[in-house]
Amino acid sequence: MSDHVRLRDVEPVDLEEFFAQEHDPEAVERSNFVPREREAFMTHWTTKVLGDPANFVQAITVDGELAGNAVAWWDEGRRFIGYWLGRRYWGRGIGTRALALFLEREKVRPLHADPFVGNTGSVRMLEKHGFRRTGTVRYGGNEHVMLVLDENRAQEGV
């Protein structure tokens, strides 16, 4: 396996794999994200993610196989990114390569991310791409790291 990473548009059939990835117990623990029930998941993806033309949504593939997704969206006047990789793709540098490709295409800066504080791999990956910590936020009882990629840091190629 060469681990050749590419991005492409999301296809409706991809949602089944995204749903399965969201329900992976270890992924749920690392992300501290409560997975949606099937109907809620499909509705969210078809209406709020794919159905919003302001969003930038890409499927991540590895050697032609669907590995996950990356999304950019607006929330209260700020542009955010999020991503999800299936567990079999963890620890191989695939997320780092996919994020680099995504950031080449997603041009809006500043760009924000807010991973769960316990998801140290995700925090490190974002920092590797030039995101800097600006503080923490709480969602319910959970602490998340707020990171931002500024125009200047993006241009420096940090």
Side-chain angles (χ1 to χ4, degrees):
M1 184 177 268
S2 68
D3 286 350
H4 186 71
V5 178
R6 291 185 180 261
L7 301 179
R8 65 164 170 76
D9 290 339
V10 171
E11 299 168 0
V13 68
D14 296 338
L15 299 185
E16 292 297 333
E17 180 63 21
F18 297 164
F19 177 75
Q21 290 172 351
E22 184 173 294
H23 282 260
D24 178 277
E26 191 170 336
V28 168
E29 183 177 331
R30 284 188 185 199
S31 66
N32 199 38
F33 183 82
V34 177
R36 296 173 181 91
E37 294 299 324
R38 181 177 177 67
E39 185 176 329
F41 177 91
M42 294 300 174
T43 299
H44 174 78
W45 265 88
T46 56
T47 61
K48 293 191 176 193
V49 179
L50 297 174
D52 185 340
N55 293 344
F56 178 52
V57 185
Q58 294 285 274
I60 300 166
T61 65
V62 177
D63 296 330
E65 293 182 23
L66 184 61
N69 63 77
V71 181
W73 70 94
W74 290 100
D75 185 18
E76 297 182 6
R78 296 184 298 177
R79 189 76 164 169
F80 278 83
I81 65 161
Y83 41 82
W84 199 283
L85 279 179
R87 187 185 337 175
R88 65 182 273 210
Y89 300 99
W90 296 354
R92 295 168 34 194
I94 290 166
T96 298
R97 285 178 274 164
L99 184 56
L101 292 171
F102 191 80
L103 292 173
E104 287 175 9
R105 296 180 185 184
E106 172 56 50
K107 302 293 186 186
V108 175
R109 304 291 186 271
L111 190 58
H112 299 82
D114 58 355
F116 172 58
V117 72
N119 192 347
T120 56
S122 188
V123 173
R124 279 193 311 266
M125 185 174 74
L126 289 159
E127 289 175 330
K128 182 186 278 190
H129 285 285
F131 283 77
R132 64 179 171 78
R133 295 177 191 223
T134 61
T136 59
V137 293
R138 293 196 79 77
Y139 299 116
N142 301 310
E143 186 176 15
H144 291 248
V145 179
M146 182 60 73
L147 298 112
V148 65
L149 179 64
D150 296 312
E151 185 66 37
N152 293 341
R153 294 195 44 115
Q155 289 174 354
E156 292 170 10
V158 174

